[in-house]
Amino acid sequence: QVHFVESGGGLVQPGGSLRLSCAVSGNIFSSYAMGWYRQAPGKQRAMVAGITIGGTPNYADFVKGRFTISRDNANNILYLRLNNLKPEDTAVYYCNVPGKTGSYGWGQGTQVTVAS
């Protein structure tokens, strides 16, 4: 069974930084590209960044240049470094396997709140 456990969120001022982590269980991590998603209040969940098995990243335009995705294949952990945070980045952040979110379900997510 696949589980995603996200952590690292919190309250940060505009311009601040956070590093999110996602521990993935279920022996799938090394087999798939991975992604970070976020859902703001009243909005649909959207993909923020993805990373291939080999480590090639891709980003949504609204985070490009500010967020960095990485992965630790040895320990089955996905990371997202968030820099220069803006109030509009406030959301619950989740990790999952792109294209398989319906199969694997979602973790509890980690709340990121950007406010002064």
Side-chain angles (χ1 to χ4, degrees):
Q1 195 169 5
V2 177
H3 292 285
F4 306 101
V5 180
E6 300 91 349
S7 61
L11 173 63
V12 63
Q13 292 186 344
S17 298
L18 287 171
R19 190 179 81 156
L20 308 183
S21 300
C22 174
V24 182
S25 62
N27 294 319
I28 64 162
F29 192 83
S30 60
S31 299
Y32 292 110
M34 295 294 302
W36 280 99
Y37 301 76
R38 72 185 187 187
Q39 186 167 22
K43 295 187 177 181
Q44 289 191 330
R45 190 152 22 205
M47 191 168 183
V48 172
I51 187 167
T52 65
I53 297 171
T56 300
N58 61 87
Y59 301 96
D61 286 344
F62 52 84
V63 304
K64 203 171 289 184
R66 300 188 298 122
F67 291 7
T68 302
I69 189 171
S70 61
R71 63 189 295 162
D72 179 351
N73 287 339
N75 293 296
N76 298 342
I77 301 175
L78 184 70
Y79 297 102
L80 186 68
R81 176 72 178 180
L82 293 68
N83 290 330
N84 190 21
L85 281 160
K86 304 175 180 180
E88 53 264 41
D89 295 318
T90 295
V92 180
Y93 285 71
Y94 305 86
C95 69
N96 213 311
V97 179
K100 293 190 177 292
T101 58
S103 299
Y104 293 141
W106 297 92
Q108 84 288 350
T110 187
Q111 175 72 49
V112 172
T113 303
V114 185
S116 55

